[in-house]
């Protein structure tokens, strides 16, 4: 039987690959973190590690050379075991997914659907024919054929002796549009001794092909597995075949007898297996990696279930042999492996009876062992017997989602030699680690702000933040901050040393201030020229920060992560003079995702993006987060990612860099910035109605250019669409929801033109209600501007100046008109008069004649239409204080208002501002 070792953490979550070295002394693993690790065995607690790039997909060894596919879309050669760069062997336009070395041949397959075969001393051969990413390949041991599996679900056979001609293709394999989405890799594998057979995984079967006719000879399957096979491999001598499933199961087959061998089941931690590798020494060990970056081994054990079965048979035979014999006092005992009679052992501590041995062994083999009858002497007698029941494997601790480390928005990973420290709307800060120190280059998008800078990196800075006023640099291993004031005169550079050995965790700069988060969970705020102004405590470990003018957005871990997601909170600071306001905000991060970017829009709204490209914006007025763009849905391939730069509310665009097959942009050549349109994830976006709704909602929740005009245009289009669709109640509901008198007039005019008199009458009845709601809304906006700020994002000028609100001032009482005059005004307002001036005048008159008190409502009981027109909630009227904002007295503008600074008089179509 083959048993499993405990799993070891090898790499971060993602596709993980491994190989054995040619001498079988080491296991080499690589993964999505860009590291390769050299393990002496599964028990190695300190494996040697080397970083080769952002990610490494596959490895191959040839004598003293180690080949690796890195994020540079190349096959790089390294010396082994020193891991020094030894040149580039192949170049592709996308990451290399699979690689194989056999004799003098080297073959590699890429996500760009191409395969390149290189032979010593000859030109490479390009094999083109796959319509999807090349997921796996193998070379015939004699170098005559190559087998490859593509994402389109096709296995192809290529004749290398005939310049790579395609000679066979087999369809029906699982399909995948990208390498990241692939679950089954097929992994074709030639029989290593003479290459007479080719195996590949398909569903719950391992198919075996005859390489002479390329016909399927037979298939091998294991009844004990529940998942589908993801990969399969021959042992080095071709006697065994191993296949792994997407549920972490492993099957072993004897290739000569086609029978499956007994293997221990997976633990609860094991996920889909991505790679298998047999030991190059013998067939007693098999290593594997799963999709969560864990490493494990499968090994042949001595105390197996077969041994236990043999022990039972031997015990039964012994029982039969001695069944007819009689022992004195019934004290025939079994001591170890020999039978004897021990008269001196009175307590029977070191002996086991045959019947007890038989019952214990049978209970273990049947999986019905009762722990209550377990004794140590039986365990010692039958060896190290393991039950197939998972209850005996021990309690498995639940695996938590990995907590994210602090990062700088707009920066690329720190292990890269040439990387971006900051990329935003102001400029780009690039770090080059050439030699011992390296240098930092700063390039501004607008040359009028500042000229480019080249700064020697003597202090080993590895984080930076750039604004139009200051360049801040720091190191996570140092407590010194160095800043260059861009707009200053004289000595522009200043630095500060953090006290008590504090180190910098995050850094952000804006046009007015600089903020630093330290490992002591302090937020230190400086002015652009270095004046210390605040020291604030952060409730948890900081994750990242962003700044905009006088605002700072700090994200931190409010609690430990759960099984599928992190818990991230944010503090939004607003400064004005020496005053500071803070607002606590929860980040709605989706499950199983990480925070990728944090910043501000051009209007000062906090924005963040997660690892799957979903961009969300915080609206200050509603205090809610809105998903405004899903970059993954705008990408042509799932393997592509967008590196977010900025978001503009005014122009409704998201600036991002397209990264093909990677997560971060390369420094050379510098990629182009693309502009992606914003779009809410509404239902049925292919319909005209949803497109108009998306445009209207974005205009209402963002500070876009001509927002009110866009709302009215899209609203009237939605109104017309509802009318054409015979949805009059939806059209009425739309006008009632928006509550705009100008839009109501247009809707009435449009409904009358279409001949929908019933709808026109219903809309006419909404005039008092909409006019009242519009006045109340304008009153609230006016009071917010004149009173204390409701949120920290509103400027604190009113608070500093000590201005008082005029909401408690009573306005002149509205003038009540009789029902006859009001009915006449109403009929005049909605008559189809060809003279536009009379139409506008009547509209204004009817607007002034709207009742605003409970007494005026009692005069409108004559007809249903008049009662609908004058219906105003008594509670709403009482809750609103009479002010010049809701006064309907037409003569209010002629009176002298002494204690009110500003008032809005609804005397015409335009708002007239009358100042004191």
């Amino acid at each position: 039987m083959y048993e499993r070792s405990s799993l070891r953490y090898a790499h971060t979550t993602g596709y993980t690959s491994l190989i054995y070295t040619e001498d079988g002394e080491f296991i080499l693993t690589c993964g999505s973190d860009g590291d390769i690790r050299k393990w002496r065995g599964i028990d190695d607690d300190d494996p040697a590690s080397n970083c080769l790039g952002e990610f490494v997909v596959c490895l191959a060894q040839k004598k003293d050379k180690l080949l690796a596919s890195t994020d540079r879309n190349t096959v790089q050669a390294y010396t082994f075991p020193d891991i020094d760069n030894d040149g580039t062997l192949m170049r592709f336009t996308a990451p290399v997914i699979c690689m194989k070395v056999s004799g003098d041949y080297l073959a590699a397959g890429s996500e760009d659907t191409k395969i390149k075969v290189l032979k010593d001393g000859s030109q490479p051969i390009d094999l083109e024919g796959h319509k999807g990413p090349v997921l796996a390949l193998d070379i015939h041991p004699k170098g005559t054929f190559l087998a490859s599996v593509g994402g389109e679900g096709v296995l192809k056979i290529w004749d290398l002796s005939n310049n790579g001609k395609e000679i066979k293709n087999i369809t029906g394999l699982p399909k995948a549009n990208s390498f990241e989405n692939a679950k089954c890799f097929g992994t074709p594998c030639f029989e290593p001794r003479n290459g007479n057979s080719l195996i590949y995984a398909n569903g719950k079967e391992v198919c075996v092909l005859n390489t002479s006719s390329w016909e399927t000879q037979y298939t091998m399957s294991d009844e004990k597995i529940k998942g589908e096979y993801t990969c399969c491999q021959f042992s080095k001598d071709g006697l065994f075949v191993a296949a792994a499933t997407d549920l972490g199961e492993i099957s072993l087959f004897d290739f000569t007898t086609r029978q499956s061998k007994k293997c221990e089941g997976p633990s609860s931690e094991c996920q889909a297996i991505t790679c298998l590798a047999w030991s190059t020494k013998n067939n007693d060990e098999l290593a594997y990696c799963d999709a969560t970056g864990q490493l494990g081994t499968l090994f042949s054990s001595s105390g197996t279930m077969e041994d236990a079965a043999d022990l039972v048979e031997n015990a039964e035979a012994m029982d039969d042999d001695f069944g007819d014999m009689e022992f004195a006092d019934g004290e025939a005992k079994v001591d170890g492996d020999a039978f004897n009679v021990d008269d001196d052992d009175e307590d029977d501590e070191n002996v086991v009876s045959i019947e007890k041995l038989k019952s214990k062994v049978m209970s273990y083999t049947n999986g019905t062992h009762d722990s209550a009858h377990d004794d140590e002497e039986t365990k010692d007698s039958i060896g190290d017997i393991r039950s197939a029941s998972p209850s005996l494997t021990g309690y498995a601790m639940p695996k938590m989602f990995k907590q994210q480390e602090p990062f700088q928005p707009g920066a690329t990973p720190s292990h890269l030699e040439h990387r971006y420290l900051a990329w935003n709307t102001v400029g780009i800060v690039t770090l080059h680690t050439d030699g011992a120190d390296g240098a930092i280059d700063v390039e501004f998008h607008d040359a009028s702000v500042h000229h480019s800078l080249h700064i020697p990196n003597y202090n080993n800075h590895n984080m930076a933040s750039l604004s139009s006023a200051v360049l801040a640099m720091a190191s996570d291993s140092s407590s010194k901050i160095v800043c260059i004031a861009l707009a200053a005169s004289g000595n522009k550079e200043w630095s500060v040393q953090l006290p008590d050995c504090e180190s910098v965790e995050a850094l952000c700069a804006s046009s007015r201030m600089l903020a630093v988060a330290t490992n002591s969970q302090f937020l230190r705020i400086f002015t652009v020229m270095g004046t210390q102004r605040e020291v604030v405590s952060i409730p948890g470990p900081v994750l990242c920060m962003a700044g905009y003018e006088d605002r700072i957005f700090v994200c931190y871990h409010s609690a430990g992560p759960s099984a599928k997601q992190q818990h991230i909170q944010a503090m939004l600071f607003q400064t004005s003079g020496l005053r500071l306001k803070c607002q606590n905000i929860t980040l709605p991060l989706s499950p199983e995702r990480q925070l990728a970017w944090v910043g501000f829009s051009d209007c000062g709204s906090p924005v963040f993006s997660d690892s799957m490209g979903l961009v969300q914006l915080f609206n200050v007025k509603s205090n809610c987060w809105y998903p405004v763009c899903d970059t993954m849905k705008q990408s042509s391939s799932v393997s592509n990612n967008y590196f977010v730069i900025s978001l503009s509310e005014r122009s409704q665009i998201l600036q991002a860099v397209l990264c093909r097959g990677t997560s971060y942009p390369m420094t050379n050549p510098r990629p182009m910035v693309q502009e992606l349109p914003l779009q809410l994830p509404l239902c049925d976006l292919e319909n005209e109605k949803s497109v108009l709704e998306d445009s209207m909602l974005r205009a209402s929740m963002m500070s876009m250019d001509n927002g009110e005009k866009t709302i009215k245009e899209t609203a009237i289009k939605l109104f017309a669409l509802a009318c054409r669709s015979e949805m009059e109640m939806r059209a009425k509901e739309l006008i009632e929801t928006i509550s705009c008198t100008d839009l109501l007039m247009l809707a009435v005019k449009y409904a009358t033109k279409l001949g929908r008199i019933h709808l026109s009458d219903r809309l006419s009845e909404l005039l008092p209600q909409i006019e009242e709601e519009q006045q109340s809304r304008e009153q609230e906006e006016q009071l917010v501007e004149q009173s204390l700020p409701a949120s920290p994002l509103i400027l604190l000028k009113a608070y500093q100046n000590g201005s008082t609100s005029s909401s408690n001032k009573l306005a002149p009482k509205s003038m009540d008109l009789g029902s006859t005059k009001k009915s006449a005004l109403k009929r005049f307002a909605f008559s189809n008069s060809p003279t536009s001036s009379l139409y506008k005048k009547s509209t204004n008159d009817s607007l002034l004649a709207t009742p605003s008190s409970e007494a005026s409502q009692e005069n409108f009981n004559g007809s249903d239409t008049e009662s609908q027109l004058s219906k105003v909630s008594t509670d709403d009227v009482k809750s609103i204080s009479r002010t010049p904002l809701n006064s309907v007295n037409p003569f209010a503008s002629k009176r002298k208002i002494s204690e009110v600074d500003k008032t809005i008089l609804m005397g015409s179509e335009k708002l007239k501002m009358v100042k004191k």
Side-chain angles (χ1 to χ4, degrees):
M1 178 181 175
Y2 283 82
E3 298 181 358
R4 290 182 183 239
S5 67
S6 58
L7 293 175
R8 300 291 303 273
Y9 170 80
H11 300 275
T12 57
T13 301
Y15 181 85
T16 312
S17 180
L18 81 160
I19 61 170
Y20 274 88
T21 56
E22 293 180 348
D23 56 6
E25 295 294 330
F26 299 98
I27 302 174
L28 302 180
T29 62
C30 63
S32 57
D33 52 6
D35 295 338
I36 62 168
R37 292 185 170 88
K38 185 171 64 174
W39 306 75
R40 292 186 178 274
I42 192 63
D43 298 326
D44 188 359
D45 293 331
D46 188 20
S49 180
N50 297 86
C51 181
L52 302 186
E54 183 183 340
F55 59 85
V56 181
V57 179
C58 55
L59 298 171
Q61 186 197 4
K62 184 179 181 182
K63 298 181 181 179
D64 60 343
K65 301 293 182 184
L66 179 67
L67 309 180
S69 64
T70 64
D71 54 349
R72 300 179 182 178
N73 302 342
T74 59
V75 176
Q76 294 288 133
Y78 298 88
T79 61
F80 186 80
D82 298 331
I83 317 296
D84 293 330
N85 199 334
D86 197 34
T88 302
L89 300 182
M90 295 181 182
R91 296 183 183 274
F92 293 84
T93 60
V96 178
I97 300 174
C98 49
M99 185 168 45
K100 184 69 176 180
V101 174
S102 178
D104 297 335
Y105 285 91
L106 166 64
S110 172
E111 196 168 9
D112 61 4
T113 72
K114 295 182 180 180
I115 302 174
K116 292 186 179 182
V117 182
L118 181 64
K119 187 178 181 181
D120 293 344
S122 62
Q123 295 294 328
I125 303 175
D126 293 338
L127 306 181
E128 299 182 4
H130 281 292
K131 297 181 180 179
V134 183
L135 301 178
L137 54 81
D138 192 24
I139 302 177
H140 194 275
K142 297 181 180 179
T144 54
F145 302 105
L146 184 143
S148 62
V149 171
E152 75 276 16
V154 178
L155 168 68
K156 292 182 179 291
I157 310 296
W158 313 82
D159 188 357
L160 298 181
S161 60
N162 192 12
N163 201 25
K165 181 181 178 181
E166 181 183 339
I167 59 176
K168 180 70 175 179
N169 66 76
I170 300 174
T171 60
L173 275 72
K175 297 181 180 181
N177 59 355
S178 68
F179 173 61
E180 292 185 355
N181 281 346
K183 295 183 178 180
C184 176
F185 306 100
T187 56
C189 184
F190 286 98
E191 193 272 323
R193 289 181 296 180
N194 47 31
N196 292 333
S197 301
L198 172 69
I199 62 172
Y200 64 94
N202 187 9
K204 292 188 176 183
E205 297 178 338
V206 177
C207 303
V208 182
L209 297 180
N210 188 345
T211 56
S212 59
S213 61
W214 303 112
E215 297 296 334
T216 301
Q217 288 182 312
Y218 55 88
T219 60
M220 296 183 295
S221 60
D222 189 353
E223 296 179 353
K224 297 184 293 295
I225 63 111
K226 298 180 180 180
E228 295 186 354
Y229 289 124
T230 59
C231 53
C232 59
Q233 285 292 330
F234 265 112
S235 61
K236 297 303 178 181
D237 54 8
L239 297 179
F240 297 97
V241 173
T245 70
D246 55 358
L247 298 180
E249 304 160 314
I250 298 179
S251 299
L252 293 184
F253 299 95
D254 188 329
F255 189 63
T256 56
T257 62
R258 309 177 191 176
Q259 298 297 321
S260 63
K261 303 181 73 65
K262 292 184 179 180
C263 298
E264 184 181 353
S267 64
S268 59
E269 297 180 357
C270 188
Q271 303 298 321
I273 296 178
T274 57
C275 189
L276 289 169
W278 284 92
S279 173
T280 53
K281 285 186 175 180
N282 49 52
N283 297 334
D284 292 337
E285 185 175 289
L286 173 75
Y288 62 92
C289 286
D290 68 356
T292 60
Q294 299 183 100
L295 170 67
T297 58
L298 194 72
F299 58 91
S300 177
S301 60
S302 57
T304 61
M305 300 291 289
E306 289 85 356
D307 296 336
D310 294 339
L311 183 60
V312 172
E313 294 177 359
N314 294 334
E316 290 177 349
M318 293 175 186
D319 193 15
D320 293 339
D321 293 339
F322 292 92
D324 298 333
M325 298 178 63
E326 295 181 359
F327 296 94
D329 299 330
E331 293 182 354
K333 306 294 181 180
V334 179
D335 187 5
D337 294 332
F339 292 92
N340 57 18
V341 178
D342 191 357
D343 295 330
D344 297 332
D345 191 1
E346 298 179 355
D347 298 331
D348 295 341
E349 293 179 355
N350 300 320
V351 294
V352 177
S353 69
I354 295 176
E355 292 297 329
K356 181 183 288 188
L357 178 63
K358 287 169 58 178
S359 62
K360 290 294 181 181
V361 173
M362 292 302 295
S363 65
Y364 270 95
T365 55
N366 294 332
T368 59
H369 174 63
D370 188 1
S371 60
H373 301 285
D374 189 17
D375 54 11
E376 294 296 327
E377 55 184 287
T378 306
K379 292 182 180 180
D380 296 337
S381 302
I382 65 175
D384 188 15
I385 300 178
R386 295 194 176 188
S387 174
S389 175
S391 61
L392 299 179
T393 60
Y395 176 72
M397 295 295 293
K399 188 174 181 181
M400 297 291 102
F401 193 82
K402 184 179 179 181
Q403 182 166 301
Q404 197 172 353
E405 296 294 330
F407 71 96
Q408 287 291 117
T412 51
S414 58
H415 58 75
L416 301 177
E417 294 181 0
H418 306 278
R419 70 186 191 96
Y420 297 111
L421 296 182
W423 190 340
N424 53 27
T425 56
V426 178
I428 303 173
V429 183
T430 310
L431 173 64
H432 304 283
T433 56
D434 297 331
D437 299 325
I440 296 177
D441 291 332
V442 184
E443 181 180 347
F444 295 88
H445 301 315
D446 188 359
S448 62
V449 175
H450 204 278
H451 57 79
S452 300
L453 300 175
H454 179 79
I455 306 170
N457 192 15
Y458 297 127
N459 295 321
N460 295 322
H461 295 143
N462 58 6
M463 63 176 65
S465 184
L466 180 66
S467 70
S468 59
V470 64
L471 168 65
M473 297 172 291
S475 174
D476 54 6
S477 60
S478 175
S479 59
K480 185 177 182 180
I481 305 167
V482 179
C483 300
I484 300 176
L486 304 175
S489 59
N491 189 8
K492 298 183 178 181
E493 183 174 337
W494 59 273
S495 62
V496 64
Q497 189 79 22
L498 299 179
D500 300 330
C501 298
E502 292 184 21
S503 61
V504 181
E505 296 286 340
L507 182 71
C508 77
S510 70
S511 59
R512 298 185 184 179
M513 69 186 73
L514 170 71
V516 179
T518 68
N519 58 346
S520 300
Q521 296 186 6
F522 288 162
L523 178 68
R524 299 182 178 272
I525 304 177
F526 303 83
T527 62
V528 171
M529 295 306 300
T531 302
Q532 304 182 57
R533 51 161 303 147
E534 262 100 14
V535 179
V536 182
S537 293
I538 305 175
V542 69
L543 181 57
C544 60
M545 293 195 304
Y548 173 82
E549 294 182 356
D550 53 358
R551 304 169 193 174
I552 301 174
F553 191 66
V554 182
C555 300
Y556 63 92
H557 295 284
S558 60
S562 60
K564 290 188 177 182
Q565 70 180 101
Q566 303 179 89
H567 303 286
I568 301 176
Q569 291 273 352
M571 302 171 70
L572 183 58
F573 294 96
Q574 168 82 33
T575 63
S576 180
L578 292 179
R579 299 186 182 275
L580 183 70
K581 285 284 186 177
C582 178
Q583 181 179 359
N584 294 315
I585 304 172
T586 302
L587 262 69
L589 196 63
S590 302
E592 299 183 353
R593 298 186 183 185
Q594 292 185 334
L595 197 62
W597 176 82
V598 168
F600 282 91
S601 67
D602 56 346
C603 297
S605 300
V607 187
F608 79 88
S609 172
D610 59 27
S611 54
M612 294 302 293
L614 180 62
V615 181
Q616 302 192 48
L617 180 139
F618 183 76
N619 185 274
V620 181
K621 296 180 180 179
S622 63
N623 199 28
C624 294
W625 288 95
Y626 295 93
V628 295
C629 184
D630 192 348
T631 59
M632 292 297 292
K633 293 184 178 180
Q634 303 191 34
S635 175
S636 58
S637 175
V638 184
S639 61
N640 296 341
N641 293 281
Y642 279 100
F643 184 76
V644 179
I645 303 297
S646 65
L647 184 142
S648 174
E649 293 186 52
R650 295 188 177 94
S651 56
Q652 294 289 289
I653 61 171
L654 176 74
Q655 288 188 334
V657 176
L658 176 61
C659 305
R660 300 185 182 275
T662 63
S663 300
Y664 301 97
M666 303 298 295
T667 56
N668 189 19
R670 181 172 296 169
M672 298 294 294
V673 178
Q674 298 185 6
E675 294 183 351
L676 305 178
L678 301 184
Q679 190 175 60
L680 299 176
L682 301 181
C683 303
D684 300 328
L685 277 174
E686 63 277 2
N687 296 338
E688 180 185 2
K689 170 178 170 291
S690 298
V691 174
L692 293 174
E693 290 171 345
D694 171 70
S695 178
M696 183 180 65
L697 290 177
R698 282 189 288 106
S700 63
M701 60 185 261
M702 298 185 192
S703 302
M704 62 179 295
D705 293 336
N706 300 322
E708 294 185 1
K709 180 181 178 182
T710 303
I711 292 175
K712 292 179 181 179
E713 289 179 353
T714 53
I716 201 64
K717 290 179 181 178
L718 284 171
F719 179 83
L721 185 62
C723 291
R724 292 198 302 267
S725 304
E726 302 293 334
M727 304 285 290
E728 292 189 359
M729 291 304 297
R730 178 187 290 174
K732 175 179 175 292
E733 178 189 55
L734 177 66
I735 302 300
E736 188 176 3
T737 303
I738 298 179
S739 299
C740 178
T741 55
D742 295 339
L743 185 61
L744 175 64
M745 299 304 177
L746 292 174
V748 170
K749 191 173 182 179
Y750 183 82
T752 305
K753 187 176 181 180
L754 291 180
R756 300 183 181 273
I757 306 302
H758 183 66
L759 176 61
S760 177
D761 292 341
R762 285 190 172 185
L763 292 176
S764 303
E765 297 168 359
L766 295 176
L767 178 63
Q769 175 186 346
I770 291 178
E771 193 268 347
E772 184 72 22
E773 290 180 1
Q774 185 175 359
Q775 287 185 357
S776 300
R777 186 167 59 247
E778 292 174 355
Q779 177 188 6
E780 291 176 0
E781 294 176 356
Q782 186 75 7
L783 291 178
V784 165
E785 293 179 359
Q786 296 181 355
S787 63
L788 293 176
S791 70
L793 294 184
I794 300 175
L795 297 178
L796 305 179
K797 294 182 180 179
Y799 186 78
Q800 288 181 328
N801 298 332
S803 61
T804 58
S805 174
S806 60
S807 59
N808 297 327
K809 306 299 180 182
L810 291 178
K813 186 178 179 180
S814 60
M815 181 181 68
D816 297 334
L817 302 179
S819 60
T820 306
K821 186 172 183 180
K822 290 183 177 181
S823 300
L825 287 174
K826 174 182 176 299
R827 288 193 300 270
F828 184 68
F830 296 103
S831 62
N832 294 324
S833 175
T835 307
S836 59
S837 60
L838 293 177
Y839 180 83
K840 294 179 181 178
K841 186 175 185 302
S842 62
T843 302
N844 295 330
D845 293 340
S846 63
L847 192 64
L848 295 174
T850 305
S852 59
S853 63
E854 186 176 0
S856 63
Q857 294 179 15
E858 297 176 355
N859 298 328
F860 285 84
N861 296 325
S863 62
D864 294 337
T865 304
E866 292 176 353
S867 62
Q868 292 286 341
L869 178 64
S870 62
K871 185 177 180 181
V872 179
S873 175
T874 306
D875 296 334
D876 294 340
V877 173
K878 291 182 179 180
S879 62
I880 301 176
S881 301
R882 284 206 328 274
T883 68
L885 297 177
N886 60 11
S887 175
V888 294
N889 191 344
F891 305 103
S893 59
K894 297 181 180 181
R895 299 188 181 184
K896 182 177 180 180
I897 305 174
S898 59
E899 297 181 0
V900 179
D901 294 337
K902 297 180 180 179
T903 181
I904 302 177
L905 302 178
M906 306 297 293
S908 61
E909 289 183 339
K910 298 181 179 180
L911 300 179
K912 297 180 180 180
M913 305 298 296
V914 180
K915 295 184 179 180
K916 180 179 176 180

